[in-house]
Amino acid sequence: DAGITQSPRHKVTETGTPVTLRCHQTENHRYMYWYRQDPGHGLRLIHYSYGVKDTDKGEVSDGYSVSRSKTEDFLLTLESATSSQTSVYFCAIRTGGTGELFFGEGSRLTVL
Amino acid sequence: QQPVQSPQAVILREGEDAVINCSSSKALYSVHWYRQKHGEAPVFLMILLKGGEQKGHDKISASFNEKKQQSSLYLTASQLSYSGTYFCGTDDNNNDMRFGAGTRLTVKP
């Protein structure tokens, strides 16, 4: 298994507060992704990274920023959380070979 | 842009077959299929590359028609363990993987 961990796994916060979710991989995979999952919408791409300091926007990037200062870590930041950002967030890495995505266990964020 | 999946949900009895479809408005390099059990992360099933190939393992197979930007997932002789939500993921060779809204499959005894 590709080693990938997300933290925190659960977080409850209040509207207007900043939140950072962390995705950590133990292997040197180049591509990393952040998705949010909401009922009826499936998995929607927020941001992705193709290397250290190389990131790009996905389809629902408004209100989110990312950083990747090290190969193993990909951070997702909500500068000022809103209730519409209540969701389950999944990080994924793209493995070599087949190019499959391997997902972390998810981070459940509730914004009150 | 998210690929479009159909149907949104399907209910089967054990042993029945199902087909899940995925289409994109963009030219595709590859199509991925994943299954997600409730409360868990999506898990990779298979990938189909540009070239119109068909793949499969066990009783789950898939096809990819690159000219139509469509893929289909075939589940034959379904088992209880096949229950879950199936997602197709599309890659237009820019590595920004997009997923459909999912198809919820329920297999009943």
Side-chain angles (χ1 to χ4, degrees):
Chain A
D1 282 355
I4 178 171
T5 55
Q6 293 184 227
S7 60
R9 295 289 314 282
H10 301 272
K11 186 172 182 65
V12 179
T13 191
E14 294 187 348
T15 298
T17 60
V19 175
T20 296
L21 305 180
R22 179 183 183 234
C23 178
H24 177 78
Q25 63 160 323
T26 57
E27 303 175 9
N28 293 324
H29 295 294
R30 181 181 175 193
Y31 290 93
M32 299 184 75
Y33 303 81
W34 276 108
Y35 294 91
R36 61 177 290 174
Q37 185 170 34
D38 306 288
H41 293 280
L43 295 157
R44 291 183 292 175
L45 181 64
I46 306 172
H47 283 278
Y48 67 103
S49 171
Y50 45 95
V52 173
K53 298 184 179 179
D54 290 324
T55 65
D56 208 345
K57 295 179 179 180
E59 58 202 305
V60 289
S61 59
D62 287 348
Y64 301 94
S65 62
V66 290
S67 66
R68 193 169 179 197
S69 58
K70 299 184 291 184
T71 299
E72 58 265 36
D73 288 326
F74 191 31
L75 304 180
L76 177 70
T77 297
L78 292 67
E79 300 291 347
S80 178
T82 67
S83 58
S84 65
Q85 293 176 312
T86 292
S87 187
V88 178
Y89 292 85
F90 284 100
C91 175
I93 55 177
R94 189 161 196 172
T95 60
T98 61
E100 69 187 81
L101 265 61
F102 190 85
F103 287 84
E105 294 181 318
S107 295
R108 182 175 293 276
L109 176 66
T110 302
V111 184
L112 302 175
Chain B
Q1 192 171 9
Q2 280 187 294
V4 177
Q5 281 185 240
S6 63
Q8 290 184 325
V10 59
I11 299 174
L12 301 172
R13 294 286 181 186
E14 269 188 296
E16 292 182 340
D17 303 338
V19 180
I20 300 171
N21 300 302
C22 175
S23 64
S24 174
S25 59
K26 301 170 68 174
L28 300 177
Y29 175 75
S30 67
V31 177
H32 298 214
W33 286 96
Y34 294 77
R35 177 170 61 207
Q36 184 180 31
K37 301 281 188 177
H38 182 69
E40 300 179 4
V43 174
F44 174 77
L45 291 176
M46 65 186 75
I47 181 173
L48 300 103
L49 300 174
K50 184 177 177 180
E53 66 176 303
Q54 184 158 349
K55 299 183 79 171
H57 64 85
D58 197 11
K59 294 175 182 173
I60 300 176
S61 62
S63 62
F64 175 27
N65 185 324
E66 63 182 282
K67 291 183 180 179
K68 294 185 177 180
Q69 289 106 248
Q70 294 175 346
S71 178
S72 294
L73 185 72
Y74 307 95
L75 300 101
T76 58
S78 58
Q79 307 167 17
L80 294 175
S81 62
Y82 287 2
S83 291
T85 301
Y86 289 78
F87 294 98
C88 69
T90 56
D91 175 11
D92 60 359
N93 210 20
N94 286 324
N95 285 295
D96 59 343
M97 288 291 301
R98 307 292 176 104
F99 287 88
T103 297
R104 178 174 289 184
L105 178 73
T106 303
V107 181
K108 295 186 174 182

